[in-house]
Every structure is written in C-alpha cells, then in structure tokens.
Amino acid sequence: QKEVEQDPGPLSVPEGAIVSLNCTYSNSAFQYFMWYRQYSRKGPELLMYTYSSGNKEDGRFTAQVDKSSKYISLFIRDSQPSDSATYLCAMSRGGSNYKLTFGKGTLLTVNP
Amino acid sequence: DTAVSQTPKYLVTQMGNDKSIKCEQNLGHDTMYWYKQDSKKFLKIMFSYNNKELIINETVPNRFSPKSPDKAHLNLHINSLELGDSAVYFCASSQDQGTGLIEQYFGPGTRLTVT
C-alpha cells in the first residue's frame, strides 16, 4: 500500500460546480496536510495547509482532515475555468522532518 | 524576480550521455530539494540539502549525484542517461520558520527527454 493514495482522475466539471478532491494515507505520523496546485508546464505551488485534524477555509477553498479515518479533502466552491490544474495532496511529519510525501495528483478541468 | 530558477528548461539527449541540471534560489532559504515527476505526474523526492549538508537521500540510482556549492545552489548531475530517466525534474527550496510547517517553493522544472 502506498503511503498516500489519490485518485488521478481526470475530473471534468462545469463552471460553478462544487469540486471535491480527496486523499487517503497510511502513515499515522503525518501531522501537516497540504494541497498543492500545479498548472500545466509549471511547478507546484502551495494552495492550503492544515495541521492535524479539522477544517480550514480560504475564500472558495476548504481543506478538511480526518485523522481518525486517515482521509483528507479539498473542496472548491463556485469553480472557475482558472481552477483547471492538477491538485496534489502532500503530507509531512513536520518539525525538523523536511520530507514531503505527495499523492499522484488529480487533474481537474472546469469547463466554461 | 524568479524565486527558484532552473536551467535548462528543456534537455534532449541520447542514452549513455552525462548531463547536469542547475538550480538557484534567491529566497535566502537553507534547504533545497530535487524531485522527479514522471509521465503520470507522480512527484517523488530524490535529494535534499540543508546548509550544504545532504539530509534526504531516497532510493535513487547512484548515476544521480547532487552537489550543493552553497546554500543558494543545488545542481543535479546524471551519468549514463537511460530512457527511464525521462521526466520533469523540479528543484524546490524551503526555510524552517519554527512553526512545524515546511513550505516548499518549486522551480519551473526541467523537462528531460532521453532518446
């Protein structure tokens, strides 16, 4: 079993839809849970992060972590064509452990 | 100003050749990384240096050798290139702010094609 599992999609939705992206993981030592966004032919950039369990909201984006189920989600409300990208979940133990473990990424297309 | 830059952006070469990719960051970060992203978009850590000291060395063929001349630069040299080395290689950097979260900033990537 891979440490981090993510459905690669692709996922295609109409503009304005609510998008749900998910990852599961097996390593209970992970403390920081991140979502990176990667546009085509670009490097990934950090979109949001959550420490331990709980929710975090930033504009149209909401990140959720359920450590008991080892399951994390990213919700995008009122999706826009500019949200079309690959979304990668990433996790780390935090502190002095610098290693990020990524999911495979989900390719999202928002159609106008 | 580009925060993390890589050269070259594209690299096409033949099997058996030796090539280098260079990375520079102007963010003043202490830690730099090399990642490999395969054709299925899977991003995997290869190496990491903190203040010029190797701190992450994943299971990577020893044909790959990172070198950090100073904390703003991290280069990747690849010997005897193979078809399976074709991928996009990303450099990243980070600075430990003492919060527990290590935010990594990625470069634009180097697309390596081995023919």
Side-chain angles (χ1 to χ4, degrees):
Chain A
Q1 182 189 9
K2 281 194 163 44
E3 271 194 301
V4 179
E5 302 270 9
Q6 182 177 8
D7 185 344
L11 187 60
S12 181
V13 302
E15 184 174 353
I18 297 174
V19 176
S20 172
L21 304 167
N22 312 293
C23 289
T24 59
Y25 64 96
S26 58
N27 189 342
S28 57
F30 288 140
Q31 295 287 336
Y32 288 86
F33 303 90
M34 288 148 272
W35 287 95
Y36 277 78
R37 180 174 59 194
Q38 185 178 18
Y39 290 114
S40 181
R41 306 242 165 194
K42 301 285 186 187
E45 56 180 350
L46 182 65
L47 186 62
M48 293 185 71
Y49 78 92
T50 310
Y51 171 68
S52 194
S53 280
N55 294 358
K56 189 171 186 178
E57 191 173 316
D58 184 2
R60 296 184 295 109
F61 298 87
T62 300
Q64 286 185 353
V65 175
D66 182 348
K67 288 191 77 178
S68 62
S69 302
K70 294 191 176 70
Y71 187 87
I72 73 169
S73 302
L74 177 71
F75 296 96
I76 307 174
R77 287 184 301 281
D78 187 25
S79 56
Q80 303 295 309
S82 58
D83 295 329
S84 298
T86 296
Y87 290 80
L88 302 117
C89 63
M91 305 177 190
S92 74
R93 296 183 181 188
S96 59
N97 189 304
Y98 293 88
K99 183 179 172 183
L100 279 186
T101 302
F102 282 86
K104 282 192 171 183
T106 301
L107 176 61
L108 171 67
T109 302
V110 181
N111 302 299
Chain B
D1 271 348
T2 304
V4 182
S5 59
Q6 296 179 227
T7 53
K9 201 166 182 181
Y10 298 95
L11 185 53
V12 180
T13 188
Q14 291 184 328
M15 279 174 52
N17 284 349
D18 303 337
K19 290 293 179 187
S20 290
I21 307 172
K22 296 188 176 186
C23 178
E24 177 181 1
Q25 54 95 2
N26 63 6
L27 297 166
H29 289 170
D30 287 337
T31 308
M32 296 184 72
Y33 311 78
W34 277 113
Y35 285 87
K36 178 181 180 181
Q37 188 171 47
D38 61 26
S39 57
K40 295 182 179 176
K41 293 285 195 177
F42 187 46
L43 194 61
K44 196 168 183 338
I45 182 78
M46 299 173 71
F47 304 103
S48 178
Y49 274 76
N50 178 264
N51 279 317
K52 301 197 299 174
E53 180 186 344
L54 184 65
I55 58 170
I56 296 175
N57 186 359
E58 292 292 287
T59 307
V60 175
N62 57 16
R63 298 181 294 104
F64 290 79
S65 51
K67 281 192 173 50
S68 182
D70 56 61
K71 71 175 193 177
H73 295 85
L74 180 61
N75 304 323
L76 183 65
H77 188 76
I78 315 170
N79 288 328
S80 303
L81 278 154
E82 299 178 358
L83 293 177
D85 298 331
S86 296
V88 182
Y89 292 84
F90 285 100
C91 176
S93 72
S94 69
Q95 179 68 29
D96 187 353
Q97 305 284 359
T99 62
L101 173 75
I102 307 290
E103 181 176 353
Q104 296 185 16
Y105 293 79
F106 284 79
T110 295
R111 189 170 294 270
L112 171 65
T113 303
V114 182
T115 62

